[in-house]
Amino acid sequence: MRAPTGIAAFGLEGKSALVTGSSQGIGRALVEGLAAAGASVVVHGRDAGKAARAAAEVADATGSQARSVTFDVTDPAAVDAGIAALEAEVGVLDVLVNNAGIQRRAPIGEFSDEDWDVLMATNVSSAFYLARRVSRGMVERGSGKIIQIGSVQSQLARPSIAPYSATKGAIVMLTKGLCADLAPHGIQANAIAPGYFATELTQALVADEDFSDWVRQRTPAARWGDTRDLVGALVFLASSASDFVNGQTLFVDGGMTAVV
């Protein structure tokens, strides 16, 4: 069967997608964008009530089926159990979006072991655990899309966030490694690297006029990103339109990484 071409190649009808950390912020925009493109989506979050409410709102807004799940993405046993339960309901996922992530800030000499460990667990280990578990079914089926959410900080460093930058650099290389292992099985693994986006988690930075001025001056587009700016790149990487794109990191940053 030939893959669809033209605008039809971007459709996600009949596809199932899980977005981790999607009850708010960037994840919420991503899961709603996939649903609007026709996918049956799964909202994931740490708060079961919040995730369920988000799923209901996504379903109402898009008309697509949406359900919610709650499991600890930093616990490999919980990931295995959570995905097994989900597969029992919806089958092997067509699309996995590893979005869950956190930030911790401190000068490197003052950065605590605890903050380092939680950053690595949430930003890197979780992506490995999810990709490892979900890819098993994808390999058996012979198709699938794994999309990691990275950051411009995988390429650009700033004071006080060296460990965070390290985690996002790891995501870039994990994505390339997934390509090496999974491409022969018909699976595409790619990453999206957002620039500076206005979300619930960045409200304090957006409200800081000096920092916002720096963002606008440093970004050729001269503005903060809106979470909806990420949806087009996500739908492309989740759809058959990207079937020959693998191991790549797509920067959605208003041009920040293109200029000095």
Side-chain angles (χ1 to χ4, degrees):
M1 181 179 178
R2 294 183 61 188
T5 59
I7 193 66
F10 293 87
L12 296 176
E13 292 80 6
K15 304 295 186 181
S16 59
L18 165 66
V19 182
T20 63
S22 53
S23 61
Q24 67 177 9
I26 285 176
R28 171 62 183 275
L30 298 180
V31 79
E32 188 163 330
L34 292 173
S40 172
V41 298
V42 183
V43 176
H44 165 271
R46 290 177 294 182
D47 182 320
K50 188 173 183 179
R53 287 191 297 274
E57 291 167 1
V58 167
D60 287 343
T62 64
S64 289
Q65 186 178 35
R67 52 172 49 83
S68 64
V69 295
T70 302
F71 55 82
D72 183 356
V73 294
T74 69
D75 179 346
V79 168
D80 288 350
I83 296 301
L86 183 58
E87 288 179 341
E89 292 184 25
V90 303
V92 174
L93 291 164
D94 295 292
V95 181
L96 166 66
V97 183
N98 281 320
N99 168 74
I102 59 171
Q103 173 67 287
R104 294 288 187 271
R105 299 174 185 274
I108 192 64
E110 301 169 18
F111 212 92
S112 70
D113 293 344
E114 180 182 0
D115 280 346
W116 168 261
D117 290 342
V118 73
L119 268 177
M120 291 299 295
T122 307
N123 294 4
V124 182
S125 295
S126 69
F128 165 69
Y129 298 149
L130 266 297
R132 177 178 64 181
R133 178 58 182 79
V134 172
S135 67
R136 292 169 184 162
M138 290 180 171
V139 167
E140 185 174 343
R141 184 183 57 207
S143 67
K145 304 280 185 174
I146 298 175
I147 303 161
Q148 325 262 47
I149 304 303
S151 170
V152 292
Q153 260 75 56
S154 65
Q155 300 295 314
L156 304 174
R158 280 185 56 80
S160 81
I161 60 167
Y164 176 82
S165 296
T167 67
K168 293 306 182 178
I171 285 295
V172 170
M173 288 311 301
L174 176 60
T175 301
K176 291 177 182 289
L178 292 175
C179 167
D181 276 353
L182 301 176
H185 302 283
I187 300 163
Q188 292 79 53
N190 293 288
I192 296 173
Y196 283 83
F197 277 72
T199 69
E200 295 96 325
L201 298 180
T202 59
Q203 283 180 347
L205 295 176
V206 175
D208 183 329
E209 278 305 314
D210 289 339
F211 191 83
S212 278
D213 283 344
W214 175 84
V215 169
R216 288 188 288 266
Q217 292 169 16
R218 181 65 181 79
T219 307
R223 65 176 175 86
W224 284 80
D226 183 295
T227 54
R228 291 169 295 185
D229 292 325
L230 295 164
V231 171
L234 176 67
V235 170
F236 166 62
L237 292 177
S239 71
S240 62
S242 62
D243 280 354
F244 203 56
V245 178
N246 219 331
Q248 304 304 305
T249 297
L250 176 56
F251 287 84
V252 183
D253 61 1
M256 177 175 277
T257 53
V259 300
V260 295

